[in-house]
Amino acid sequence: MGTNKRYPHLGSQLAEERELREARKRGALHSLSADQLRLQSQVVTVVPERMQVWGLTWLRFGDVDVRSTVLVKRWTSDAVGVEVDVDGEKLRCWVWQGACQRLQNRVDGWR
């Protein structure tokens, strides 16, 4: 079987979506706790609605970890608030900043 020359990232994207669906069945999406975030003492930067910032990070559903392309919604000096779409449902969580790699555009996570 050949490769998709028009959308070379499509196979990786579909595999990630399948992994997210399977992981979602294993449990809820984990997020950092309020004690870990310390939002009352941290400056939170919010990404404007007209702007999209993409990242690549590890997400945990129940006991399963999935590396996923995410939309960055906000951040502090320690953490990043991200959003991921799983079958049309937008899920949000906080991850440690060191665990999130910024991408120039969405498809870079699937190359």
Side-chain angles (χ1 to χ4, degrees):
M1 191 155 104
T3 59
N4 188 332
K5 293 184 183 0
R6 185 176 222 179
Y7 304 106
H9 64 275
L10 190 60
S12 299
Q13 179 183 355
L14 294 173
E16 179 184 297
E17 290 171 359
R18 185 174 48 254
E19 279 185 70
L20 285 168
R21 280 192 305 274
E22 291 301 314
R24 179 84 166 105
K25 294 175 186 174
R26 300 287 297 270
L29 177 61
H30 290 235
S31 185
L32 298 178
S33 70
D35 288 339
Q36 292 170 319
L37 289 172
R38 299 178 297 126
L39 293 178
Q40 66 280 3
S41 63
Q42 295 270 347
V43 175
V44 178
T45 303
V46 178
V47 178
E49 282 297 316
R50 67 184 182 282
M51 191 174 158
Q52 290 187 327
V53 178
W54 295 98
L56 184 65
T57 192
W58 285 100
L59 301 174
R60 178 171 277 246
F61 292 87
D63 61 349
V64 176
D65 296 321
V66 178
R67 186 126 168 116
S68 178
T69 302
V70 294
L71 190 57
V72 174
K73 301 302 269 184
R74 60 197 71 224
W75 67 84
T76 68
S77 60
D78 298 324
V80 181
V82 300
E83 179 179 280
V84 63
D85 186 303
V86 181
D87 280 342
E89 183 181 0
K90 293 185 186 314
L91 305 174
R92 289 184 172 190
C93 71
W94 286 92
V95 297
W96 292 116
Q97 192 177 66
C100 190
Q101 173 188 348
R102 182 164 181 180
L103 301 174
Q104 289 299 316
N105 58 60
R106 186 178 187 202
V107 298
D108 287 346
W110 301 309
R111 291 187 180 160

